Amino acid sequence: MNRTTLSLIGAATALAAISGVAALTGGSSDDAGSAGKAATRLPVQRSTLLCPTPSTSDVSSTTYTAYTPKRDGVDAKDGTAELLPAQNAADDVTDPGGEGKGDKNDKSGKDGGKGGDKPVLPLKEPGKPVTTDVSSAGAPALIGTADGRFAPGWTVQQTTTIDAGSGRGILGTACTAPDTDFWFPGVSTDRGRQDFVHLTNPDDAAAEVDLKLYGPSGRLKSATDESITVPPRSTLPVLLSTLTDQRAESASLRVTARSGRIGAEVQAVDQKAGSDWLPPSAVPSSSVAIPGIPKDATSARLVVFAPGSDDADLKVRLAGPNNSITPAGHESLHVKSGMTAAIDLGDVTKGEPGSLLLTPEGGEGPATPVVAALQVTRGKGGDQETAFIPATAAIERSATAADNRTKGSTLSLVAPRAAAKVRITASAGAGGGSPVSKTYEVKGGTTKALEPPRPASGKGPYAVTVERLSGGPVHASRMLELTQDGVPMFTIQSLPDDRGTVVVPEAGQNMSLLNDD
């Protein structure tokens, strides 16, 4: 066989392979323009969620609620959604023998903190939530995957109630997707707080993770320069005060994966004001929205960090039910580069619900991006309870909060600039019922706080989905409250976009690869 024959065979093989491949670059400019215009948005095919270890308290219980909204354009037959217990890497260190200590009858599917293969919360159909209650003591972290019809918008809520002792209150969090970089403004290494960052690795290879703390004067001196190894399919809680000898009432934590990817959330336990989960802030931005400060908040503490090389000068505004105002005495905030700034806003809402908006002060040059979070307290004296609201990205299309109840759920929507129209849909309940939808308008520069719709004849927890229909950006959060023994226990979950769809470019053929030199 001569060289010419081989060249022809090679060209034919390449042609057959390339004809079925999408060419994102190359070709004429006309082809590129038509491909860009023809790009479509399609439902995602696979989602991963990670739920942290709920609690070690013997007087705690946890409710898990999972839900996937019904979506147009999704195959109505194929797909699964379920979670599996993760190994506890801390137990591997302290208990090398690996003897399980869990309750074999616990519905969480845990295996003594050592993982297992019993699925938790498998969904049977989109549009209907499933729920389960477990004893939190010893319950594991969970690693979940949804594919096919269950992947777009899959949401899992973990709500824990601790009846007494340190950390008494409600701790709620939406289980998060894995990533490589997280910011947590609002953590503390103070003696009155115990903050644990929970690191969960969903993959089959170990992840190497760096933890860096920044206080009011810059980075806190680290007790070790080594990264932390999180074993495959495992979770590891790390007490922040063990990372440094310096004490800071308000600090910022950066979690970075050197290799692999992880889920990260901070469990903040205040000795006097209860406890809650502190989710990561939205990615650094020059304009920040913190939605959903309760109308009866007795105090609010704002924590901001500037991760870049420039200082940040910010305007502080409170978007209330009717307009935006400047909190008295807190018109602006200067944040030095690489340092954490904190201000106490007191009872900033003055009996009305609101949201905090941070925008650049006027001036020349590019605005400096920041990350931020708000620690909110309700109640007084020994009856205080605390929750956290991180800076929250806008809803591009839709976002969902699971585990809503017939009493105690409040949805907050803020439109920082232009007015926006949204549709809010209550799903069927876990015990039945029919979905109900209502449309609302949020005026620009205001916050709308409302009781979400309830399913018709519904029973059990239900999900609420917010869809932005038109207008400007909308940021949202959901508060779940439960008063117990005079303590106004509550938790707040921010609602960023669920990323249930992705843009898929038009596939095209690129024959330029067949040029024979």
Side-chain angles (χ1 to χ4, degrees), residues 221-238:
K221 185 177 180 181
S222 176
T224 176
D225 292 329
E226 296 181 359
S227 63
I228 293 174
T229 300
V230 185
R233 308 285 297 179
S234 296
T235 192
L236 180 66
V238 179

Side-chain angles (χ1 to χ4, degrees), residues 338-361:
M339 301 182 187
T340 298
I343 54 174
D344 287 314
L345 300 173
D347 57 341
V348 63
T349 57
K350 303 295 182 182
E352 292 185 329
S355 301
L356 212 59
L357 304 177
L358 307 179
T359 54
E361 285 268 30

Side-chain angles (χ1 to χ4, degrees), residues 285-290 302-304 314-317 333 356-360 370-373:
S285 175
S286 57
S287 295
V288 165
I290 301 176
L302 173 65
V303 182
V304 185
L314 303 168
K315 274 190 213 176
V316 181
R317 290 184 299 142
L333 175 64
L356 212 59
L357 304 177
L358 307 179
T359 54
V370 298
V371 292

